[in-house]
Amino acid sequence: MSRIGGAGELFGTNGVRGIANEELTAEMALNLGRTIATLKPGTIAVASDTRISSQMLKSAVISGITSVGSDAIDLGFAPTPALQYYVKMKDSVNAGVIVTASHNPREYNGIKFVSSDGTEFTREMDEESERVYKSKNFRSVKWNEVGMVFYDDCIRVYLDGIKKCVNVEKIGKSDFTVAVDCGNGASCYTTPQLLKELECKVISLNAHPDGRFPQREPEPVEENVTLLKELVKLSSADLGVAHDGDADRATFIDENGKFISEDVMLALMAKRYVEKHGGGIVVTPVSSSRRVEDVVKKAGGEVIYTAVGSPVVAQVMKEKKAIFGGEGNGGLIFPEFQLARDGAMSVAKVLELIAEEERPISKLVKEIPEYHMIKKKISCKNKLKLLEGLKKEFPDANFTDGARVEFEGGWILVRPSGTEPIARIFAEAKSKKRAEQLLQIGVETAERILSGE
Ligand code: MG
């Protein structure tokens, strides 16, 4: 099984993922639809990304939902955050299902459940779902109690909601030119339209829905957005933006055509939120760059580290009443809108930042401290032994998810994988040389613990 994010379990860190029609079949989608409707009786909204297999899987999910007596609302193609916002805003909707494999390659697909407040199911809720799915103990209803299918649009309410959270007037007056690479994914339905409504001149790339993803891989990392970088330069755009397949993530290109590291953008937005609020809590996973903590502390705020994964970041943001949060992969969470990673909102917020600061994005980025992060994987067959050894070795480390150990001018994270027999080691420092030294310390310590010496 090459299923992503599962160690023999159905639900991984991002719901159910697998190669469509092999590892994630219509039969599974049918029973996943029955599962969520058994757990969350009431009306359930369903949407999908633009993948070739998405409509097949979505139809099966809807059949599952209606077969156990719940009504379904088919929202068609939509970004994950648009479905989440719709579920949050509609009191009559009790849960949501998004059919997407996010940034994974084209042959994959996935199914993820959303709670009535629009947040992704937590680990515990996924475990409960898995129990219901495996037991096949679904609600059963008679022929005349089968649910109905309704159709609605979530894009309009989503775009209007975004516009209420940003300084539309200031952005409109700034005469921005923005180049956007939708990667043929779900953002085709949102970001170009949003930019138009924010009175930007829009230059779009891969902005027609196409589940074959003919131009680039769905993950908006630097190596996949070379064309967008060129386009920003050629069109003298103020900003370039690229999304992943379900548009909960956004990465950015500055006005010179230079890719802005996702960690830098996370820190830049965290800094802005803490400065605007005069303090406050920012939530991010333990794998995030020290840049975030540096700028947040300097502005009078506090960083809370969580385990890796957006559902836990959102959960902790809710508990701690955080003002901002996100991951170092382009997944930014703006809690005044919703507790979800949000690609289109990220675009609007970055434009608002440039408009209000009246400086180009490359200048704003320069205020973020420089760090070098390097990563390495090592073989790890005994996760427990590694963690116990690390506790002895570094008793003061943060053990939220693996061990994050702070050093002068840098840190290391040793994190055993939940799904593969490996451990990931991260090291970050002000200089590349120091980062390499720290990585060496991390690798040697982990290998020594695992070899039992
Ligand atoms: Mg995604």
Side-chain angles (χ1 to χ4, degrees):
M1 283 281 271
S2 60
R3 200 157 51 73
I4 292 176
E9 292 165 5
L10 186 64
F11 286 81
T13 33
N14 283 293
V16 182
R17 287 265 171 97
I19 295 173
N21 239 9
E22 288 178 30
E23 297 160 342
L24 177 55
T25 61
E27 290 85 345
M28 288 167 74
L30 179 78
N31 281 335
L32 285 165
R34 287 174 169 147
T35 299
I36 187 157
T38 300
L39 281 169
K40 301 265 182 189
T43 303
I44 298 169
V46 189
S48 81
D49 69 14
T50 61
R51 286 165 196 269
I52 290 172
S53 56
S54 285
Q55 283 178 301
M56 169 194 77
L57 294 170
K58 187 186 68 179
S59 308
V61 168
I62 290 173
S63 288
I65 291 169
T66 49
S67 74
V68 299
S70 285
D71 290 340
I73 302 177
D74 184 352
L75 298 172
F77 296 110
T80 298
L83 170 276
Q84 288 179 275
Y85 187 67
Y86 181 92
V87 173
K88 178 191 159 188
M89 295 307 285
K90 298 274 174 180
D91 289 340
S92 56
V93 175
N94 207 27
V97 182
I98 184 79
V99 177
T100 180
S102 185
H103 60 280
N104 291 141
R106 40 184 80 72
E107 63 271 25
Y108 283 83
N109 217 324
I111 290 173
K112 191 160 64 177
F113 295 162
V114 170
S115 296
S116 61
D117 64 356
T119 59
E120 296 169 84
F121 265 32
T122 60
R123 184 75 223 149
E124 295 72 36
M125 291 159 86
D126 274 347
E127 281 165 8
E128 175 69 18
S129 306
E130 189 152 344
R131 273 194 292 277
V132 172
Y133 177 90
K134 282 184 175 158
S135 74
K136 293 203 162 42
N137 204 2
F138 307 124
R139 260 194 301 151
S140 67
V141 299
K142 291 199 173 66
W143 67 271
N144 57 350
E145 293 164 344
V146 165
M148 289 174 72
V149 184
F150 300 92
Y151 298 88
D152 201 1
D153 166 65
C154 65
I155 304 294
R156 190 64 263 158
V157 58
Y158 174 61
L159 296 184
D160 287 343
I162 290 175
K163 286 194 291 177
K164 278 188 202 129
C165 289
V166 290
N167 190 340
V168 172
E169 201 188 329
K170 190 84 190 174
I171 298 171
K173 281 186 181 152
S174 301
D175 261 338
F176 287 136
T177 299
V178 183
V180 52
D181 181 352
C182 298
N184 308 102
S187 64
C188 295
Y189 297 92
T190 48
T191 299
Q193 180 64 27
L194 173 68
L195 290 168
K196 218 171 111 186
E197 292 178 23
L198 291 172
E199 293 178 55
C200 298
K201 186 178 164 201
V202 190
I203 298 167
S204 57
L205 191 62
N206 308 317
H208 60 287
D210 188 336
R212 296 168 300 159
F213 300 139
Q215 177 56 41
R216 67 162 169 94
E217 288 291 332
E219 186 156 34
V221 286
E222 184 168 11
E223 58 266 34
N224 290 338
V225 297
T226 323
L227 214 55
L228 177 66
K229 283 161 60 174
E230 285 304 311
L231 185 63
V232 169
K233 276 192 271 185
L234 283 172
S235 61
S236 307
D238 300 284
L239 185 72
V241 56
H243 292 294
D244 67 332
D246 65 328
D248 57 352
R249 285 163 58 185
T251 55
F252 295 90
I253 313 290
D254 76 12
E255 76 283 4
N256 304 313
K258 192 166 170 266
F259 187 84
I260 302 169
S261 146
E262 297 92 322
D263 277 328
V264 169
M265 193 49 95
L266 175 68
L268 185 60
M269 205 46 84
K271 173 176 179 279
R272 175 168 165 83
Y273 266 73
V274 177
E275 282 172 355
K276 271 202 158 184
H277 284 77
I281 289 170
V282 170
V283 178
T284 197
V286 283
S287 52
S288 287
S289 168
R290 174 80 75 80
R291 288 180 174 103
V292 180
E293 195 177 317
D294 280 3
V295 297
V296 166
K297 274 189 177 162
K298 200 175 166 200
E302 186 197 339
V303 170
I304 294 180
Y305 288 109
T306 68
V308 173
S310 60
V312 61
V313 174
Q315 202 59 34
V316 173
M317 285 179 72
K318 191 175 172 178
E319 285 163 19
K320 303 284 180 188
K321 298 190 168 54
I323 54 165
F324 178 72
E327 304 171 311
N329 63 2
L332 307 182
I333 304 175
F334 305 92
E336 71 275 31
F337 184 54
Q338 62 173 341
L339 287 167
R341 290 179 297 186
D342 199 317
M345 182 57 103
S346 301
V347 179
K349 288 286 182 185
V350 171
L351 288 173
E352 183 189 65
L353 168 72
I354 309 172
E356 289 187 354
E357 294 281 333
E358 297 179 354
R359 279 182 296 160
I361 188 73
S362 68
K363 292 270 187 320
L364 297 166
V365 160
K366 282 212 175 80
E367 290 169 12
I368 303 301
E370 231 186 280
Y371 276 94
H372 295 266
M373 199 193 284
I374 41 177
K375 300 171 194 178
K376 196 176 172 177
K377 285 181 205 170
I378 61 162
S379 157
C380 169
K381 293 197 178 78
N382 194 338
K383 189 177 162 175
L384 228 64
K385 186 178 178 185
L386 177 58
L387 282 174
E388 273 162 18
L390 288 166
K391 270 180 194 150
K392 280 191 199 129
E393 199 83 25
F394 304 112
D396 298 329
N398 180 331
F399 287 96
T400 305
D401 191 353
R404 176 165 166 148
V405 193
E406 302 294 329
F407 289 87
E408 186 62 38
W411 55 276
I412 54 176
L413 173 69
V414 182
R415 185 175 168 261
S417 164
T419 54
E420 297 166 85
I422 57 160
R424 290 187 175 85
I425 300 168
F426 299 63
E428 191 189 49
K430 292 261 181 195
S431 73
K432 205 173 162 204
K433 199 173 155 220
R434 178 69 177 145
E436 277 161 4
Q437 280 174 351
L438 290 176
L439 188 75
Q440 198 58 26
I441 293 173
V443 171
E444 278 171 10
T445 310
E447 282 177 344
R448 180 163 41 81
I449 293 167
L450 285 165
S451 70
E453 281 169 37

